[in-house]
Amino acid sequence: MPSMNELVRQHTALGDTDLEWLHLLVSEWQLLSDLSFADLVLWVPTSDGTRYVSVAQMRPNTGPTSYQDDMVGHLVPRGRRPMLDAALDEGRIVREGDPEWREEVPVRVESIPVRREGRVLGVIARNTNLLTVRTPSRLELTYLQSASDLAQMIAAGSFPFPDQQVDMDASPRAGDGLIRVDADGIVQYASPNALSAYHRLGLAADLVGQHLGRTTAELAPTRGPVDEALAKAASGYAPREFEIEANDGVIQFRSIPLKPKGTRIGSLVLCRDVTELRRRERELITKDATIREIHHRVKNNLQTVAALLRLQARRIGSERGREALEEAVRRVGSIAIVHETLSQNLDERVEFDDIADRVLAMVAEISPGKVTARRSGRFGWLDAEVATPLSMVLTEVLQNALEHGFREGDTGTVEVSAVRGGTTKEGRLLVTVEDDGVGLPEGFDPQTAGNLGLQIVRTLVEGELGGTFDMVPAPERGTQVVLDIPARPQK
C-alpha cells in the first residue's frame, strides 16, 4: 500500500507545509472517528482537478466499519460523488442525501472540508454504518455532539492544533474516559470510565455539576500557584496533556478546547487510568538500575582479580608462570571491559566497536616489536551473551598473532575487520584478524593444536557462540583468522 507522502506527491499539487498539516490531521483523527462511530477517508483533489485520490483511512474503535476493504490509493472522477464536490467547492460540511447501500449495509455519508489558512486542501468522507442504529444513550449523544464540534473546527481550519504534537499511542482515547465541560468549566457529562478515574484519585461524589478544574486541583497533592495552572489545564482552556498522581493512582489527561464557530463553547477532557502502567515502568527503571549496578560491581571485582594476578606475576620466579599469569590478566580484563560497557547501558546490548578498540589497545602492549593494530568495519550492537565470549576470543586471537607472528624488533600490522550483512549472510557477523608476520608453521592444524589460547577460542566460538573458526595463511603474507558467528540484526 502506498504511503500518504507518495500519493500526495504523485497525484496532487500540495506543498510540503500542506502535507505536514494533513499528517497532523491524520495523527489526531482517531478521536473524530471514535466520537462519530464512523469510518473516515481523506480525499485530496488531483493536480489536474479531474479526480480525487484517497490518501488515508481510519476505522472506529467504537462501532462497526463501513469499509471492509482498504480505500487508500483509490482514484475517483470528480462528479461521481457530489458531496465531495460540494464540500470542496463550497468549503462547508455537507450532510444532505439518502444513505448509501454497501453490501446490504446502509451507510450515512457526510463530507467535511479540510481547511488550512483559508484554503481547502481536501475532504474527509465520514461514513457511518447504520445497521446497528438504536436509540442513543447519553454517552453516545455526547460523543456525537463532540464529533460535530470537532468537524466544524476542521472545516474552519482550527483543528488540529499546529503547536501540539500528540502521540496517539500514548495519549488517552475517547473510550478511556471522556468529560465534557461548558465554557465556565462546569462538567456537563462524564463517562463511566472517567468517573472511575476520578474515584481512583479520591473523589467520593459525582462529577456532573462540579467545576472540573477546581475539583482536579483539590485532588492533586500540590498547593499554591500550581493549583491555579492545574485548574486551568483541567478545565480545557488550552490544548494540553498532563498527569496527576494522588491517592496511589496516576491519571493521564488531555484537554481539547471546543471552538466550532471560533468562540470557545467548552472543552473535551480525555482521561486514562495509567496507575498500573506507571508502576510497571518504575519497576523496570529499578530493575535496569539494579542490573547496571551488578555489571558495575562485577567489573570492579574482575579488576580486583586482575590486580591480584598482576601482583602475583611480579612475585613469581618462573618466566613461564609469569607469562601465564599475564595472559590471565588480559583475559579477565577483556571480560571486565564488556561489563563496564553494560553498566552504562539501559539494556543488555553493547556497541562492540568501542570494546574491540579497547581490546586492541590492551593486547598491543605485549607487542614484541613496532606492530600496529587497527580495526576496519563495524561490529555494531551485540547482545551481552555474544559480546562477552567474543571479547575473550578477540583477546586470544590478537595475543596469539602478536606473540607468535612477530619477533623482537619486527615491524608489521594486525588488522581486525568486521562485516555484518552485505557480503555476509543476514544475521551473521564475519570477523577477520589478519597479520603480516612470519605465518603458520609447517603442517600446523588449528583444529588440533594444543595451545591453550586456541583451545579457548575453539570452545567459545563453536560451543558458546555457535559459529565457526579457521586459521589459514594470509593471501600475501602472514596469518588470517576467520570467525563466522550468528548475531541478531542490529537495532
Side-chain angles (χ1 to χ4, degrees):
M1 182 185 297
S3 67
M4 185 165 73
N5 284 356
E6 294 170 342
L7 291 169
V8 168
R9 287 174 177 146
Q10 180 181 354
H11 295 285
T12 78
L14 297 181
D16 290 342
T17 53
D18 294 332
L19 178 58
E20 187 61 33
W21 181 263
L22 295 184
H23 275 293
L24 188 61
L25 172 66
V26 168
S27 72
E28 291 270 29
W29 70 345
Q30 180 72 67
L31 176 62
L32 177 63
S33 178
D34 290 345
L35 293 174
S36 303
F37 308 97
D39 291 75
L40 305 178
V41 179
L42 178 56
W43 297 92
V44 179
T46 57
S47 52
D48 60 8
T50 61
R51 296 179 296 175
Y52 298 96
V53 58
S54 58
V55 299
Q57 178 180 3
M58 178 58 65
R59 294 184 174 91
N61 293 317
T62 52
T65 183
S66 302
Y67 287 110
Q68 297 299 325
D69 300 326
D70 289 322
M71 294 296 296
V72 175
H74 283 215
L75 290 163
V76 174
R78 184 177 172 89
R80 179 175 294 180
R81 301 193 178 183
M83 295 177 69
L84 290 182
D85 298 338
L88 183 69
D89 297 339
E90 301 172 23
R92 65 180 179 89
I93 299 176
V94 180
R95 295 191 177 94
E96 301 89 356
D98 297 326
E100 297 180 3
W101 287 83
R102 300 176 187 161
E103 299 179 358
E104 301 183 354
V105 175
V107 177
R108 182 175 63 240
V109 181
E110 302 167 88
S111 295
I112 305 168
V114 177
R115 192 184 303 273
R116 175 182 174 270
E117 296 181 353
R119 295 168 46 242
V120 178
L121 307 181
V123 179
I124 294 175
R126 181 164 55 176
N127 305 268
T128 307
N129 187 325
L130 300 178
L131 194 61
T132 58
V133 169
R134 52 187 170 79
T135 303
S137 64
R138 179 74 188 280
L139 181 145
E140 291 169 329
L141 289 172
T142 303
Y143 271 32
L144 292 171
Q145 180 57 54
S146 302
S148 176
D149 294 335
L150 286 178
Q152 292 183 58
M153 291 170 65
I154 291 173
S158 58
F159 185 83
F161 305 110
D163 56 346
Q164 186 188 44
Q165 195 72 28
V166 177
D167 181 2
M168 292 306 298
D169 291 333
S171 294
R173 300 194 177 192
D176 296 325
L178 180 141
I179 302 170
R180 173 118 184 184
V181 300
D182 63 16
D184 296 322
I186 305 300
V187 177
Q188 297 176 311
Y189 176 79
S191 71
N193 283 346
L195 190 58
S196 295
Y198 268 81
H199 287 167
R200 186 69 179 262
L201 290 177
L203 180 69
D206 193 2
L207 266 177
V208 176
Q210 298 199 42
H211 190 281
L212 185 66
R214 286 197 292 270
T215 300
T216 306
E218 289 171 1
L219 294 171
T222 55
R223 293 293 180 267
V226 178
D227 285 355
E228 184 177 351
L230 180 60
K232 286 187 176 181
S235 298
Y237 285 97
R240 187 181 166 192
E241 290 193 53
F242 58 98
E243 284 188 7
I244 293 176
E245 183 170 358
N247 197 36
D248 294 328
V250 184
I251 308 300
Q252 183 182 26
F253 291 86
R254 182 188 177 197
S255 58
I256 304 171
L258 296 177
K259 302 177 181 179
K261 296 182 180 179
T263 303
R264 180 177 170 275
I265 64 168
S267 304
L268 279 182
V269 178
L270 308 179
C271 55
R272 176 188 176 198
D273 187 344
V274 293
T275 305
E276 289 304 309
L277 179 63
R278 296 295 178 260
R279 182 184 64 81
R280 292 193 189 106
E281 288 178 351
R282 292 188 186 110
E283 287 179 353
L284 288 174
I285 291 172
T286 302
K287 186 180 293 184
D288 286 339
T290 302
I291 291 172
R292 288 200 300 273
E293 178 62 22
I294 289 172
H295 284 302
H296 181 71
R297 294 189 181 188
V298 169
K299 182 263 296 183
N300 288 344
N301 290 338
L302 288 173
Q303 288 180 337
T304 300
V305 171
L308 292 173
L309 290 173
R310 194 177 294 111
L311 183 63
Q312 186 66 39
R314 293 193 189 119
R315 293 174 176 268
I316 199 167
S318 168
E319 182 67 24
R320 293 189 62 184
R322 185 163 49 252
E323 290 177 356
L325 288 175
E326 288 174 350
E327 287 181 2
V329 167
R330 285 188 286 274
R331 288 166 185 149
V332 172
S334 66
I335 301 174
I337 291 172
V338 176
H339 283 282
E340 181 180 4
T341 306
L342 286 168
S343 69
Q344 300 167 1
N345 290 344
L346 292 176
D347 57 13
E348 290 292 288
R349 305 195 76 196
V350 295
E351 175 68 73
F352 197 80
D353 296 304
D354 178 57
I355 293 174
D357 291 341
R358 293 174 67 178
V359 169
L360 274 168
M362 179 179 66
V363 176
E365 295 175 0
I366 68 168
S367 172
K370 298 179 180 179
V371 179
T372 302
R374 64 189 183 205
R375 173 178 62 86
S376 63
R378 292 193 68 251
F379 288 86
W381 289 89
L382 295 175
D383 293 333
E385 57 264 29
V386 174
T388 301
L390 182 58
S391 68
M392 286 193 65
V393 168
L394 197 57
T395 300
E396 296 297 334
V397 172
L398 287 169
Q399 187 170 285
N400 189 74
L402 291 171
E403 285 185 351
H404 303 292
F406 300 93
R407 290 184 285 270
E408 191 71 35
D410 284 354
T411 60
T413 303
V414 177
E415 181 171 356
V416 178
S417 67
V419 179
R420 294 184 72 160
T423 58
T424 188
K425 296 178 181 178
E426 186 65 28
R428 297 193 72 84
L429 171 64
L430 184 67
V431 181
T432 304
V433 180
E434 184 173 323
D435 66 71
D436 55 2
V438 297
L440 296 172
E442 188 72 26
F444 180 81
D445 184 0
Q447 301 303 325
T448 59
N451 178 285
L452 176 61
L454 291 181
Q455 289 181 14
I456 292 174
V457 170
R458 284 198 302 270
T459 302
L460 291 176
V461 172
E462 297 172 0
E464 192 162 342
L465 293 174
T468 60
F469 155 73
D470 198 11
M471 180 182 287
V472 296
E476 296 183 4
R477 178 189 171 191
T479 305
Q480 184 182 78
V481 176
V482 180
L483 310 172
D484 187 354
I485 62 176
R488 81 177 184 183
Q490 299 185 64
K491 64 181 180 180

